[in-house]
Structures are given as structure tokens and as C-alpha cells.
Amino acid sequence: MSETQRRAVVIGDALIDEIRDAGGVRELVGGAALNVAVGLRRLGVPTTLIAMVGDDEPGAHIREYLCDHGVELIASPAPRGSSRAVVTWSPSGEPQYAFNEAAQRRSIRYGDDARAALSAADVVAISCFPFDVPSEVDALVDALGDSRVTVDPNPRAGMLSDRAEFVRGFERLAATADLVKVGGDDVELLYDGDLDALRARLRAMGSGAVLATAGAAGAVLESDAGVFTAPVASLPGAIVDTVGAGDATLAAVAAGLADGAPMSDAGWQELLDQAMQIAAATVRSEGGLLRTPDALGDPERGVFGS
């Protein structure tokens, strides 16, 4: 299907990552939903991001970055300014996030332009959404209508105010979603259980397909067509930054679903394998910018909005 025949909308967060490590302090445009939106565009799918972005200097950087990558932004008002995450690293090397008030109290509105974009989209991806705010979930459900939806709960401890409410809101969307992506971090933060059990739970409640990613253990995708597995893809080069892996995976899957659900076992397996290849390429550069295996020879391209 040609690029002009498919469109995507992504709903969720857009922010500035303030990274503090041994190399000093630097800022990158980020946010899970923003990474997915840029990833979809890099995979050839015209994409609109619906997110809260402030009319301030950080917001200008976010807008410039999205413009550089060809992503349309429909911005919700941000009375507390743009969202920011201060990123540090634990002794074990895991990223730790501290979010400002704007990020913790983010809110999304759906005006006529947003609803028009949603009605024209072939797929809608939702990531890092405030599922623990019932009014936000109500507004989202109303705006989505009968859209083809992929959902990644992508909870952040620093933005999570009510775990039980977040689970209720997430599962309300998951029950009718075409595909839900979950990972080990989601299970630990939301369910205190194992990933296989969560995959079964989501399928039982009505999710059309569930993609469960387990880091070094690879991924499992379950749909009505069956259960498909894939290991972590092996590519040249060292792993530099795993933060963008999940966003790249969701972008790759959503890009595939923009053409409709696979019609065969081989189609589902190909969708999963391609997503794992793209995730593996992405983690070989710093930041959440999606990379494809054939772009590994130019790892810096696009990192700073160039």
C-alpha cells in the first residue's frame, strides 16, 4: 500500500529528557508517544501526534523536532508548561526518571482537528497515556470511535498517581484494542505477576492481539491466528541505549497494522520479526529515535532533529 493510502495518529506524551550522567547534562526531545510518532513517520507512514505541549522554549524545541521529522502536531493546552523528565541511572545501569508537575498532571483535549485526524487514520497508537484519570479515559474513548487501536500502557512510576485506577483505564481500552503491547516493566509496576499471565488475561478480556516483550528473552505475539515467538535480533555493533526499544517495537507493529491485520500465520510472524529487527537497530544509538537495520551505518542521523 502506498504512503498516501495510510495514515496514523499517536496519542500520549511529548517532553524534554534532561539526561544527567558521567558525561554531564544534555537535553533530548523525547516521550514515548513522540518516539512512536517519529518512528512511524520514519517507516513511511504519515503521522499526527496528539499531545500536550507548552508555548515555551522546551515546547519550541519539541515542535521543531517534530517538524524536522515530518510529524504533524495537534497540541493540547499546557498551562504548566511543557513536560520534562530528569533522567539518571541506577547503580545497575537502569534509567530513573523524575518528572515535573506538567508531566505528572498532563491532559489531552480533542478538538475538531484532532477528531478529523482520528477519523482519517488507519491506525491509532496510544502510549504513556494518563489511564489513572477517568475523565481522560472517557474523553479518549469518545474521540476514538471505531478506530483501529494499538495500546502500550507504558506506565512511569513518577507519573502514576493511582495504580488500580490506571489498570482499570488501561484495560478499558485493551478490551477492544486491535493490539496491546506489554513488557516486563509493565507487569512489575501494574500487576505484580508474570508476563505470560498478563498476556492470557488481556486476550481473555477481548484484545485482538497481544505483543509481550521480555527484553533479552525476546517477544511473544498472540492473536487469533496463533502464538508467534521471536528472539532478540542479532545485529552488528554494541547496544548503547535500550530506552527506545519498546517505542520502536510499537511503531513497527503499528506501521504493519496500518495496512490491516495480517491475513496469515506467516504475516504475523513477519510483523513480529520486523519489529524485533527495528528494536535491535534502535538500541544501537543513544535516544529514542527509531533506526532500521539498513541505517546503522549512519547512527547520528536525526538524533538532534537534523
Side-chain angles (χ1 to χ4, degrees):
M1 186 174 290
S2 70
E3 180 177 301
T4 58
Q5 292 177 294
R6 54 180 185 162
R7 297 194 64 86
V9 170
V10 182
I11 302 173
D13 62 332
L15 49 76
I16 297 294
D17 283 322
E18 180 182 318
I19 301 173
R20 302 180 180 182
D21 58 18
V25 178
R26 60 198 181 282
E27 295 185 352
L28 296 175
V29 174
L34 180 144
N35 289 338
V36 173
V38 171
L40 275 159
R41 190 65 189 93
R42 287 170 68 81
L43 292 173
V45 184
T47 301
T48 298
L49 174 65
I50 300 175
M52 190 187 78
V53 178
D55 293 321
D56 50 16
E57 185 176 350
H61 291 314
I62 292 170
R63 288 179 169 85
E64 180 182 14
Y65 183 85
L66 290 169
C67 182
D68 285 346
H69 287 287
V71 174
E72 178 188 5
L73 172 67
I74 298 177
S76 293
R80 299 173 185 84
S82 295
S83 299
R84 176 177 293 267
V86 177
V87 186
T88 56
W89 307 91
S90 71
S92 63
E94 293 298 316
Q96 302 175 126
Y97 301 88
F99 296 94
N100 67 357
E101 185 181 11
Q104 293 175 30
R105 301 178 66 179
R106 67 202 187 284
S107 181
I108 298 176
R109 297 290 176 264
Y110 308 93
D112 291 343
D113 50 353
R115 291 176 181 271
L118 287 165
S119 67
D122 297 288
V123 66
V124 179
I126 303 162
S127 183
C128 205
F129 185 85
F131 284 115
D132 49 354
V133 182
S135 60
E136 293 287 331
V137 178
D138 289 342
L140 174 62
V141 170
D142 180 68
L144 285 174
D146 59 356
S147 300
R148 178 183 293 131
V149 172
T150 67
V151 181
D152 183 351
N154 216 339
R156 297 285 187 266
M159 289 195 287
L160 189 63
S161 62
D162 186 327
R163 187 177 77 162
E165 192 61 58
F166 190 101
V167 169
R168 280 192 289 272
F170 159 59
E171 291 187 349
R172 182 177 172 189
L173 267 293
T176 58
D178 291 77
L179 183 138
V180 179
K181 176 194 165 295
V182 290
D185 290 345
D186 304 327
V187 172
E188 293 301 320
L189 190 56
L190 298 177
Y191 289 91
D192 297 325
D194 66 64
L195 199 51
D196 288 338
L198 177 55
R199 176 165 54 90
R201 175 185 176 91
L202 293 169
R203 284 285 292 159
M205 69 176 53
S207 300
V210 178
L211 171 60
T213 58
V220 177
L221 194 161
E222 180 178 349
S223 71
D224 290 343
V227 178
F228 307 91
T229 62
V232 171
S234 178
L235 294 176
I239 294 174
V240 174
D241 184 357
T242 61
V243 171
D247 302 334
T249 302
L250 182 61
V253 171
L257 291 181
D259 290 325
M263 301 300 292
S264 66
D265 291 4
W268 281 107
Q269 187 67 57
E270 181 181 2
L271 181 64
L272 177 59
D273 290 342
Q274 182 179 30
M276 297 301 284
Q277 286 277 327
I278 288 170
T282 298
V283 301
R284 280 162 170 78
S285 295
E286 183 183 44
L289 185 67
L290 180 145
R291 265 75 172 195
T292 56
D294 59 3
L296 287 178
D298 189 10
E300 293 298 317
R301 184 169 182 265
V303 169
F304 303 105
S306 59

